[in-house]
Amino acid sequence: MPNALRTISRIVATVVGGYAATAGGVALASMMLVLLSCMARSEAVLLTSMIGFIAYAAIIIWGWAEQRMARLWAVLGGAALASHVGAMMLATLLPPLAGT
């Protein structure tokens, strides 16, 4: 693979895949906090969103440090898929918001 395509692939993997993995992780973690610790939804979302900024930066740094592109795509794709599916499954356990 030429260097330009490799660089573009790495940028797409870290930015898009990292965002998808972070967004799913934030959604899953906030729902788990609400269910397991009886934390208010707004506080759980705020806490996990702040942690998500740090996680996204760490994912981008790791994405550029990782040598193998296949591992990068597999880890980020798997994390994104698993966290989004887990969040969707937990969403059925939460009571609906008032007024919706």
Side-chain angles (χ1 to χ4, degrees):
M1 179 183 290
N3 281 340
L5 284 173
R6 204 167 153 78
T7 303
I8 290 170
S9 177
R10 189 172 300 272
I11 290 170
V12 170
T14 55
V15 172
V16 176
Y19 180 81
T22 304
V26 164
L28 181 62
S30 64
M31 288 182 201
M32 288 175 63
L33 279 175
V34 169
L35 290 172
L36 297 177
S37 69
C38 297
M39 184 181 279
R41 283 186 185 186
S42 58
E43 293 173 356
V45 170
L46 184 63
L47 175 64
T48 56
S49 295
M50 289 188 294
I51 294 170
F53 282 111
I54 297 167
Y56 186 51
I59 287 172
I60 289 175
I61 291 169
W62 170 76
W64 283 98
E66 177 59 45
Q67 296 293 318
R68 297 189 298 191
M69 291 295 294
R71 181 186 295 173
L72 176 66
W73 279 101
V75 168
L76 291 179
L81 182 65
S83 60
H84 282 281
V85 168
M88 289 183 355
M89 291 173 64
L90 280 181
T92 61
L93 300 175
L94 291 173
L97 290 173
T100 57

